[in-house]
């Protein structure tokens, strides 16, 4: 499924309406067996500029401001709770909560012209919520330099530090994203769902707890229909037929 941020005139800002729409699109028919991967991309030269600052002016009350930040956090954490992989396809600038969106996706493919920044400090609104995703994707000192200075990372720097998984020329962006998507589609949906959920669970645990939990998951994995099918297919030197 393709989700396209489509308000280029507003630099694809994450207004309350945009966030609600994004949440709806992410959750739409998520249990459908045909849904295997979600790709988030955007129209225009800016992938996403973060929150709509007009919504955060003092004219709106504190309750409204809290609502914007709460639904944003909900959308970012939802991405990692979904049973299918979510790929950010970035072609342009991703700033503040837009940078947070890229950091929150499972995989991110970017064009060479893409840039990533958390410039909130420059307008007196420190990017504290983007920092949650950023601090979990990047080395601490890189994340803090971005947060303290607001200066952007180039696509190559973002790749070097692990914010994105691949950088390709703009004319190869679609092809590369499709290549990854098609590869994902070759695997069992239930096995991928189990693997994704387990990955994020173990990341927050200490080493011993993580191994204890994943040891049990691997044993459980073998009891799944597709777990048995995959191993039998390998032994019989044939292509597995997944149940999805």
């Amino acid at each position: 499924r393709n989700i396209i941020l489509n308000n280029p005139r507003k630099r694809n800002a994450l207004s309350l309406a945009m966030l609600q729409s994004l949440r709806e699109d992410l959750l739409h028919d998520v249990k459908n067996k045909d849904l295997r991967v979600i790709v988030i991309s955007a129209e225009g030269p800016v992938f996403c500029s973060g929150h709509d600052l007009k919504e955060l002016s003092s004219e709106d009350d504190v309750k409204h401001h809290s609502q914007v930040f709460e639904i944003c956090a909900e959308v970012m954490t939802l991405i990692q709770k979904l049973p299918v992989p979510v790929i950010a396809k970035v072609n342009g600038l991703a700033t503040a909560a837009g940078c947070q969106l890229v950091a929150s996706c499972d995989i991110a493919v970017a064009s060479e012209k893409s840039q990533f920044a958390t410039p909130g400090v420059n307008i007196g609104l420190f990017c504290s919520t983007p920092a949650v995703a950023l601090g979990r994707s990047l080395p601490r000192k890189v994340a803090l330099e971005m947060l303290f200075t607001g200066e952007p990372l180039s696509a190559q720097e973002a790749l070097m530090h692990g914010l994105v998984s691949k950088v390709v020329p703009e004319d190869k962006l679609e092809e590369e994203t499709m290549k990854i998507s098609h590869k994902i589609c070759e695997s069992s949906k239930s096995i991928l769902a189990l693997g994704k959920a387990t990955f994020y669970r173990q990341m927050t645990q200490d080493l011993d707890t993580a191994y204890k939990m994943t040891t049990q998951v691997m044993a459980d994995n073998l009891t799944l229909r597709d777990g048995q099918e995959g191993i039998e297919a390998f032994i019989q030197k044939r292509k597995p037929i997944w149940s999805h």
Side-chain angles (χ1 to χ4, degrees):
R1 177 191 303 157
N2 286 301
I3 297 175
I4 301 166
L5 307 180
N6 193 12
N7 192 359
R9 209 167 45 83
K10 285 271 188 88
R11 296 158 63 87
N12 296 314
L14 294 176
S15 61
L16 189 56
M18 179 78 99
L19 284 164
Q20 285 165 337
S21 177
L22 184 52
R23 178 176 62 185
E24 212 174 290
D25 288 346
L26 285 166
L27 286 170
H28 177 70
D29 213 9
V30 80
K31 291 199 160 64
N32 186 329
K33 65 175 172 44
D34 294 330
L35 177 66
R36 309 302 314 285
V37 64
I38 294 171
V39 176
I40 301 176
S41 61
E43 284 294 326
V46 176
F47 174 77
C48 178
S49 60
H51 291 296
D52 184 346
L53 296 177
K54 287 200 175 111
E55 285 190 345
L56 305 180
S57 67
S58 53
E59 289 159 34
D60 283 308
D61 61 11
V62 173
K63 196 172 162 212
H64 177 81
H65 297 165
S66 296
Q67 192 188 1
V68 170
F69 295 128
E70 277 161 18
I71 188 172
C72 185
E74 191 190 325
V75 167
M76 300 300 167
T77 52
L78 171 63
I79 288 169
Q80 295 178 358
K81 289 173 186 162
L82 291 171
V84 296
V86 181
I87 303 173
K89 181 174 117 184
V90 188
N91 189 26
L93 184 64
T95 61
C99 188
Q100 180 184 8
L101 179 58
V102 176
S104 300
C105 287
D106 302 312
I107 294 170
V109 186
S111 67
E112 290 168 337
K113 73 173 191 186
S114 300
Q115 287 188 305
F116 306 85
T118 47
V121 68
N122 300 332
I123 56 154
L125 179 64
F126 197 87
C127 285
S128 290
T129 43
V132 176
L134 221 58
R136 283 160 171 74
S137 293
L138 292 164
R140 184 175 300 185
K141 288 175 176 62
V142 178
L144 286 171
E145 186 180 334
M146 286 180 75
L147 292 159
F148 291 164
T149 66
E151 287 295 305
L153 287 186
S154 68
Q156 286 300 336
E157 287 169 324
L159 177 67
M160 180 172 71
H161 297 304
L163 180 59
V164 301
S165 30
K166 260 199 177 99
V167 172
V168 293
E170 188 177 359
D171 61 355
K172 292 274 191 292
L173 185 60
E174 175 67 20
E175 186 189 320
E176 191 55 48
T177 309
M178 282 300 100
K179 202 164 113 188
I180 296 168
S181 300
H182 288 146
K183 191 67 193 157
I184 287 168
C185 290
E186 287 174 16
S187 299
S188 155
K189 183 174 181 178
S190 59
I191 302 296
L192 274 173
L194 175 70
K196 175 171 169 173
T198 306
F199 177 83
Y200 286 113
R201 252 175 81 200
Q202 63 87 21
M203 284 297 283
T204 62
Q205 297 171 337
D206 66 74
L207 197 66
D208 289 341
T209 311
Y211 269 120
K212 198 172 175 187
M213 187 267 288
T214 52
T215 300
Q216 183 57 54
V217 169
M218 295 220 46
D220 294 342
N221 189 151
L222 285 172
T223 68
L224 292 176
R225 196 163 132 203
D226 280 354
Q228 284 299 312
E229 166 62 16
I231 288 173
E232 279 169 23
F234 179 79
I235 291 166
Q236 291 164 13
K237 294 185 170 55
R238 62 173 173 84
K239 257 184 109 93
I241 300 155
W242 306 123
S243 64
H244 298 315

